[in-house]
Amino acid sequence: MKEYHQYPMWDVSLSLEERLDDLIARLTTEEKIRLIPTREAAVPRLGIPAYNVGGEAAHGVAWKGEATVFPQPLGLSSTWNTRLMREIGSVIGDEARAYHHRNPEVHGLTLWAPTVDLERDPRWGRTEEGYGEDPVLTGEMSAALVKGMQGNDPFYLKMVATLKHFFANNNEKDRLNCSSSIDPRNLREYYLKAFETPFVEGGALSMMTAYNSINGTPAIESPYVNDVVKGEWAMPGFIVCDGGDLSQTVDYHGYHTSHAESAAGALKAGVDCLTDEVDLVVSALEAALDQNLLEIADLDRAIRNIFGVRMRLGQLDRSGLNPYASISESVLCAPEHAKLSYRAAAESIVLLQNDGLLPLKPEALQKISVIGPLAGVVYTDWYSGTLPYRVSVLDGLRNRLPQTDVTYTDGNDRIQLKTADGQVITLGAEGALVAVPEANAPTVTEFIHQDWGWGSHTLRSLNNNRYVSLTEQGIYQANAPEIGGWFVKEVVQFDPQEDGSNILRTWNGIPIGLSEYQGHSALAPLLPQGEQATGTNPNDIGDSGHASQSPGNTQIPSAFNIDIVTSGIQQAVEAARSSQASVVVVGNSPYINGKEEIDRPSLLLPPSQVELVKAVCEANPNTAVVIVGSYPFALQELKGIARAIVYMTHAGQELGNALADVLLGHYAPAGRLNMTWYEDESQLPDMMDYDIIQSGMTYMYHEGPVQYAFGHGLTYSEFEYEAIRVSRSAPAEATTTDQLKIEVEVHNTGERDSDEVVQIYGSSHTSRVKRAQKQLLAFRRIHLKAGTRVTIRFEIPVQKLALWDVTRDRYCLETATWAILAGRSSADIRQSADIEIEGETIQDRPLHLLTFAENYDACAGVLLDECLEGRSAVRAITQKEPLYRDGQSSWIAFHHNAVQEVKGFEARVAAFGEEGRLEIRSGGLEGELLGVCEVSGPGGSVNGKDIKWTTVQCSLEASHKVNELYIIFKGGAALRHFRLL
């Protein structure tokens, strides 16, 4: 027996805390420091192995090798099935264990998933990674996944789920230095709610902070980590920061001037494990200790959190009691896992509209045409696992229709590229794209041209079926089997010219010309003027895509003519006309026009795809349109065009089989939308507007028409809802909470067995503040045979009806009449019942007491920013910031006030950048001016820590009760709190 096995830290008969005490007492300071990076060092003298924190498991274990791949998280959430989610989580945990057993120091068990951050804006480039726009749906679905991942043993963990990204991280533009402005009601009723459920109910034991700031403070140092996650929710695990965020807090946010300050700030704010270069983390922590920015106790606290999880994973454990230690590699891609992948794909499919075309009747189909750029492929995304096999829509229909003639065309043009001087682009050695005189071309090289819209195109050679890609040698070759990578170098931008030619550009906008390469004129990015290529080392190629082997670079972009050899739409139309039915499959590539680091340019389908759909539907009215996409689309252009529209996300290995079964009626679709599908982008506010309440975002607050509502989804049967009953039960004992008891009868009145998703919403008739028009309270996916009925029962804590009372900084259940609604979507309510909820009446505001500025009732033209004295400051949006509008008014308002007599105004203020003033008015922006409070300099920046907060007073004159108080911001005036005198 090794000596260290005698230490208490190895004795599983002791409590976890006793083992952790012993571990921490035995570690040296240097050893503690080296356990803080995500690549945690080994401590051989104590038997502690090296351990790698991190890895991806968004919809299956990723980046390790073949593993079962499930639908994208947005698709998983479209199932509205928590039981299914738990099963999927368990499979992910099993396969993570299998890889861990293969190489435990490389393949860790603390993987980064699920993404819980809410998707209030469908333009977010990472929409595929989340669970939708609703906190209840997101919370319950992610909690179920977490339970499955972590297992059900009371002590040991199968793996650990890391929730990401905490929080308000719903834009990619400027994500490394932007700040999301979140007021207390949005914070408590929306953004934090989604995380609360997987922590409190799901038991998640890890979390990743986001890149963005929240109210001026980088998320890596957010006070909500300690105050809420570790405090209110008592999460006992550990927190990591997002990749590279230690250095980015210095380099992008400019929040600190040194990495030592950044490391100290993160650990003191509750981050336990730093995801950055190991040497950087170690040196930063050493410097932080030397400069007394950190104490050993801060390291001890982080290590206690980290090893509290590692011990529960079965490390430092020779007992043989860990039930998950015996999971073998045979579970990888097991047949039963493939069946679950199929089930998840099938349950995720949403039937958006159908006039009776679907399901198709297989016995009536002698010939069916499968058309479209996504019909013959199965795409993965950045966080996908490696597919063990893939079944496309074409494959699926051929599998299910062995006696039917299933024809296929992708709808893309076949083209040739020619230079203005008559040379044709052909394939040279190793697939290099070279220009040769057309008469000398050995073969005519054709490319499958796919127009993804907004300037993004891909070219695939018909000669070798490989995508054209920018290589490390700095030239273009047809050598990529698929589109992908962090930098998507298969994308070629087309820049149309007035003469009909095109300037081609790289994935990142650099003009493409002809360059001498191994004795040929090859397509290559042009070097900037004055830059010389040096050497032939492929590592000389930077992210800019500049060629390192381009001594003959002309510096002049070449103009290319695009000759269409075969029209994709013409082929599609001919195929559709000759078929009894057509299926046209369109959508997106997860790597183009919307991904991590890139927000979507539009909600629309690519124009070329819309043109294809219209042409096929005109040629054959019996056409079902299938959208395979990572996010919601605006489909107004297809209104009245398509008889049936089906939506699914990129759904993994079984995509085609699942879709074929839905189209042919072997499975009745019952997926539901987890996001609102708007009519167009004009219905959305600025991307950086995180105030869903005032901007009218999501189904809860949006008041205009929409294309498809949250919760929408059709099926092949008919369902009726009857006899809703709602009551409130008193708590059975002091430790429980009272519940809303809801019963509703659901009747399958159709002729097909089918799933149904029963959705329960609440709507308050009265409130002190603006409440959601509807808010999801509960849901359940059920299966009903044709002609049968069932009574569905829900018990919902009455506290779910509470709002965040800004007058008292706490949740409040108001006395009010509530409508409890049961239906098939947020817009398809079938039954409702009113219930009187006895709670509190929020009293008028006592503004003579200290009132925090962030606790306003209404606002415009302001942001919440860091105060450095606790809470958040309120200030006007400045000209350089995204939400600024010319001629804007910047103000906050406080309604329903109890103050009878007002003589003065006392406030804690600072000048942000410049001096300013606060105008205090009664009744509105043009109401009676009660007084002006000057805010003098010197101004400064919060990030520079030179803001000076002072307490000021000014006199007010009010001839009446000030029921509505308006504070108007001028210049750089910022306000933390105030009171009326």
Side-chain angles (χ1 to χ4, degrees):
M1 180 182 291
K2 300 284 180 74
E3 179 185 354
Y4 52 72
H5 288 153
Q6 306 298 322
Y7 299 153
M9 55 189 277
W10 282 84
D11 185 352
V12 298
S13 68
L14 298 176
S15 71
L16 182 61
E17 290 303 313
E18 289 174 304
R19 296 173 65 195
L20 290 169
D21 288 341
D22 182 66
L23 165 66
I24 291 169
R26 294 181 188 279
L27 290 168
T28 67
T29 299
E30 183 59 28
E31 288 167 344
K32 291 175 181 178
I33 288 172
R34 292 187 174 275
L35 289 169
I36 300 300
T38 46
R39 292 190 293 281
E40 298 177 6
V43 186
R45 68 181 187 85
L46 299 179
I48 297 173
Y51 184 71
N52 190 20
V53 174
E56 301 295 341
H59 47 119
V61 176
W63 302 0
K64 300 180 185 300
E66 287 187 356
T68 305
V69 178
F70 298 95
Q72 292 175 307
L74 194 72
L76 293 178
S77 181
S78 297
T79 69
W80 291 57
N81 189 340
T82 56
R83 287 169 295 180
L84 173 68
M85 291 297 287
R86 190 160 185 170
E87 291 179 53
I88 291 170
S90 184
V91 166
I92 292 172
D94 285 346
E95 298 198 354
R97 274 280 168 181
Y99 272 108
H100 180 67
H101 293 330
R102 179 177 294 180
N103 194 336
E105 293 191 5
V106 172
H107 302 308
L109 291 167
T110 44
L111 304 185
W112 294 335
T115 295
V116 179
D117 201 43
L118 287 169
E119 302 181 302
R120 43 101 214 181
D121 195 313
R123 295 169 295 190
W124 186 32
R126 300 180 73 173
T127 295
E128 67 198 28
E129 296 179 36
Y131 287 71
E133 68 183 29
D134 182 77
V136 171
L137 178 64
T138 295
E140 294 197 18
M141 294 291 280
S142 58
L145 189 78
V146 167
K147 289 176 182 177
M149 286 175 156
Q150 296 189 168
N152 55 12
D153 188 87
F155 179 78
Y156 289 102
L157 300 163
K158 185 184 292 189
M159 62 168 287
V160 170
T162 300
L163 310 185
K164 59 182 191 178
H165 310 83
F166 191 77
F167 63 97
N169 177 70
N170 194 205
N171 61 280
E172 293 304 290
K173 186 179 185 301
D174 299 326
R175 66 177 182 159
L176 299 182
N177 57 14
C178 70
S179 180
S180 306
S181 183
I182 315 290
D183 67 51
R185 281 198 62 211
N186 279 279
L187 175 82
R188 291 289 186 164
E189 296 177 22
Y190 190 66
Y191 293 103
L192 292 184
K193 276 295 179 188
F195 283 90
E196 182 176 7
T197 305
F199 276 129
V200 175
E201 297 179 18
L205 288 169
S206 187
M207 183 186 81
M208 175 183 284
T209 56
Y211 282 135
N212 55 288
S213 290
I214 300 123
N215 297 349
T217 303
I220 190 175
E221 296 188 31
S222 171
Y224 301 110
V225 173
N226 275 331
D227 294 348
V228 177
V229 178
K230 292 184 173 181
E232 293 179 27
W233 300 341
M235 194 279 279
F238 71 98
I239 310 293
V240 299
C241 67
D242 206 341
D245 208 21
L246 172 67
S247 53
Q248 286 161 182
T249 306
V250 176
D251 299 336
Y252 286 88
H253 284 288
Y255 191 75
H256 294 296
T257 58
S258 74
H259 296 128
E261 293 172 318
S262 181
L267 259 67
K268 286 185 174 295
V271 173
D272 304 298
C273 194
L274 297 172
T275 315
D276 218 312
E277 295 300 323
V278 172
D279 291 344
L280 175 66
V281 174
V282 169
S283 62
L285 291 171
E286 288 173 342
L289 288 170
D290 289 343
Q291 297 168 29
N292 295 319
L293 300 174
L294 273 181
E295 299 176 356
I296 298 298
D298 296 312
L299 298 180
D300 292 347
R301 182 176 59 251
I303 289 168
R304 181 177 295 274
N305 292 331
I306 293 167
F307 274 84
V309 167
R310 287 183 62 174
M311 287 179 176
R312 292 185 63 189
L313 285 167
Q315 297 184 11
L316 312 186
D317 190 334
R318 301 175 67 245
S319 68
L321 297 175
N322 182 359
Y324 308 117
S326 60
I327 295 175
S328 70
E329 291 188 31
S330 65
V331 303
L332 281 172
C333 303
E336 59 269 27
H337 295 181
K339 290 179 181 178
L340 190 64
S341 177
Y342 165 84
R343 181 180 155 206
E347 290 196 19
S348 75
I349 295 171
V350 182
L351 181 59
L352 293 174
Q353 65 183 56
N354 184 28
D355 72 351
L357 175 66
L358 296 180
L360 301 172
K361 297 176 176 58
E363 64 277 5
L365 295 175
Q366 287 78 47
K367 184 176 183 180
I368 183 172
S369 53
V370 183
I371 298 167
L374 278 79
V377 295
V378 176
Y379 287 137
T380 57
D381 56 53
W382 179 249
Y383 292 111
S384 284
T386 302
L387 291 164
Y389 61 88
R390 55 186 79 198
V391 181
S392 69
V393 176
L394 175 63
D395 297 330
L397 286 167
R398 284 178 171 167
N399 291 342
R400 299 303 194 255
L401 296 170
Q403 306 304 317
T404 301
D405 182 6
V406 181
T407 65
Y408 166 66
T409 178
D410 61 19
N412 291 318
D413 293 337
R414 272 58 177 169
I415 68 167
Q416 289 183 345
L417 286 177
K418 297 180 180 178
T419 64
D421 61 0
Q423 297 187 87
V424 64
I425 304 303
T426 188
L427 298 191
E430 299 179 344
L433 270 62
V434 296
V436 298
E438 189 167 4
N440 299 339
T443 58
V444 176
T445 299
E446 292 183 18
F447 299 97
I448 301 170
H449 169 222
Q450 190 156 336
D451 181 354
W452 294 101
W454 302 279
S456 295
H457 302 252
T458 54
L459 301 172
R460 186 156 44 96
S461 169
L462 275 174
N463 296 49
N464 63 8
N465 200 34
R466 289 292 189 265
Y467 285 96
V468 170
S469 182
L470 179 60
T471 67
E472 290 185 345
Q473 287 73 34
I475 62 166
Y476 277 93
Q477 290 179 305
N479 67 349
E482 55 188 358
I483 304 165
W486 183 259
F487 302 109
V488 188
K489 297 184 180 181
E490 293 73 48
V491 168
V492 179
Q493 299 179 11
F494 283 19
D495 187 358
Q497 305 297 297
E498 290 184 2
D499 64 358
S501 67
N502 281 269
I503 299 295
L504 303 188
R505 298 180 184 274
T506 63
W507 59 278
N508 55 346
I510 297 172
I512 297 172
L514 296 176
S515 172
E516 184 180 339
Y517 178 78
Q518 296 183 349
H520 299 280
S521 292
L523 260 66
L526 298 180
L527 291 172
Q529 289 289 342
E531 184 174 325
Q532 297 297 319
T534 59
T536 59
N537 185 345
N539 293 327
D540 289 344
I541 306 299
D543 293 339
S544 65
H546 297 164
S548 65
Q549 286 187 316
S550 306
N553 204 310
T554 64
Q555 304 295 331
I556 301 172
S558 299
F560 294 89
N561 293 317
I562 300 171
D563 290 354
I564 298 176
V565 179
T566 306
S567 166
I569 285 184
Q570 183 178 337
Q571 284 191 326
V573 166
E574 291 172 359
R577 282 176 178 160
S578 65
S579 306
Q580 278 85 41
S582 293
V583 176
V584 57
V585 189
V586 294
N588 78 297
S589 161
Y591 287 96
I592 300 175
N593 295 333
K595 61 180 284 288
E596 187 165 357
E597 288 200 323
I598 301 172
D599 290 314
R600 297 171 64 188
S602 172
L603 296 182
L604 301 173
L605 285 167
S608 64
Q609 293 188 12
V610 174
E611 184 182 1
L612 175 67
V613 169
K614 288 181 176 179
V616 172
C617 289
E618 183 178 355
N620 187 342
N622 295 327
T623 294
V625 177
V626 176
I627 299 171
V628 180
S630 303
Y631 27 64
F633 293 89
L635 301 179
Q636 284 291 85
E637 294 170 297
L638 300 185
K639 195 172 184 179
I641 300 295
R643 292 183 59 192
I645 303 178
V646 175
Y647 169 71
M648 68 188 305
T649 62
H650 300 280
Q653 59 208 55
E654 286 286 337
L655 181 154
N657 286 334
L659 181 67
D661 284 344
V662 165
L663 295 176
L664 299 173
H666 304 320
Y667 182 85
R672 298 292 191 266
L673 295 179
N674 45 39
M675 298 182 71
T676 300
W677 285 40
Y678 296 95
E679 291 186 338
D680 57 60
E681 291 149 49
S682 68
Q683 296 179 305
L684 300 174
D686 190 282
M687 187 80 174
M688 285 304 298
D689 191 344
Y690 276 78
D691 186 342
I692 69 161
I693 299 173
Q694 294 206 111
S695 66
M697 290 285 284
T698 79
Y699 79 96
M700 292 187 283
Y701 295 100
H702 179 71
E703 295 181 353
V706 299
Q707 187 120 40
Y708 300 113
F710 174 83
H712 171 75
L714 307 176
T715 190
Y716 295 152
S717 197
E718 298 294 329
F719 288 87
E720 295 296 335
Y721 286 56
E722 302 167 356
I724 189 171
R725 294 176 289 277
V726 182
S727 61
R728 179 178 179 179
S729 66
E733 51 190 72
T735 57
T736 63
T737 58
D738 55 346
Q739 306 280 316
L740 280 181
K741 291 191 172 183
I742 302 168
E743 294 183 356
V744 63
E745 292 183 14
V746 182
H747 184 194
N748 183 346
T749 59
E751 298 178 355
R752 289 177 177 267
D753 299 350
S754 176
D755 284 4
E756 170 70 348
V757 178
V758 182
Q759 302 168 42
I760 303 296
Y761 295 87
S763 178
S764 177
H765 291 322
T766 58
S767 177
R768 177 189 176 277
V769 297
K770 179 182 179 181
R771 298 296 301 264
Q773 301 167 103
K774 297 184 186 78
Q775 64 185 71
L776 184 67
L777 299 177
F779 60 92
R780 189 171 304 150
R781 184 167 180 141
I782 61 172
H783 184 78
L784 271 184
K785 292 186 178 298
T788 64
R789 69 175 67 230
V790 66
T791 298
I792 306 299
R793 296 177 175 85
F794 299 90
E795 287 195 4
I796 302 169
V798 176
Q799 193 62 25
K800 280 198 172 184
L801 307 182
L803 59 80
W804 183 259
D805 178 14
V806 294
T807 73
R808 293 174 293 176
D809 281 330
R810 65 172 177 83
Y811 284 106
C812 169
L813 182 67
E814 288 183 299
T815 295
T817 302
W818 277 77
I820 304 301
L821 316 168
R824 309 195 71 215
S825 80
S826 62
D828 186 3
I829 301 301
R830 300 298 181 88
Q831 288 284 303
S832 67
D834 285 353
I835 184 171
E836 300 296 326
I837 298 296
E838 292 186 13
E840 301 178 74
T841 298
I842 300 174
Q843 301 301 310
D844 288 348
R845 277 185 183 266
L847 292 183
H848 62 282
L849 301 178
L850 186 145
T851 301
F852 290 103
E854 66 179 5
N855 281 336
Y856 50 73
D857 288 306
C859 74
V862 296
L863 291 178
L864 281 79
D865 210 331
E866 190 176 63
C867 175
L868 299 178
E869 294 189 345
R871 309 291 290 236
S872 295
V874 178
R875 62 170 177 83
I877 302 170
T878 64
Q879 237 175 336
K880 62 184 178 182
E881 294 172 316
L883 296 177
Y884 178 82
R885 298 292 178 267
D886 289 339
Q888 71 177 20
S889 295
S890 300
W891 54 269
I892 55 178
F894 300 83
H895 300 154
H896 310 292
N897 302 317
V899 177
Q900 296 291 333
E901 184 177 355
V902 179
K903 294 183 178 180
F905 179 83
E906 180 180 272
R908 191 71 172 165
V909 299
F912 274 49
E914 61 175 323
E915 296 183 347
R917 68 182 188 277
L918 303 173
E919 292 182 1
I920 298 94
R921 292 182 178 270
S922 174
L925 295 179
E926 303 299 327
E928 179 184 355
L929 179 63
L930 306 182
V932 176
C933 179
E934 298 295 337
V935 180
S936 59
S941 67
V942 169
N943 290 349
K945 304 292 194 298
D946 56 357
I947 293 292
K948 182 180 179 182
W949 287 92
T950 59
T951 300
V952 297
Q953 288 187 357
C954 66
S955 60
L956 300 182
E957 293 186 11
S959 58
H960 52 79
K961 177 183 176 181
V962 182
N963 189 53
E964 295 187 346
L965 184 78
Y966 280 72
I967 300 175
I968 302 166
F969 294 79
K970 303 291 185 180
L975 176 65
R976 179 184 187 264
H977 64 254
F978 71 93
R979 65 188 182 101
L980 299 183
L981 306 174

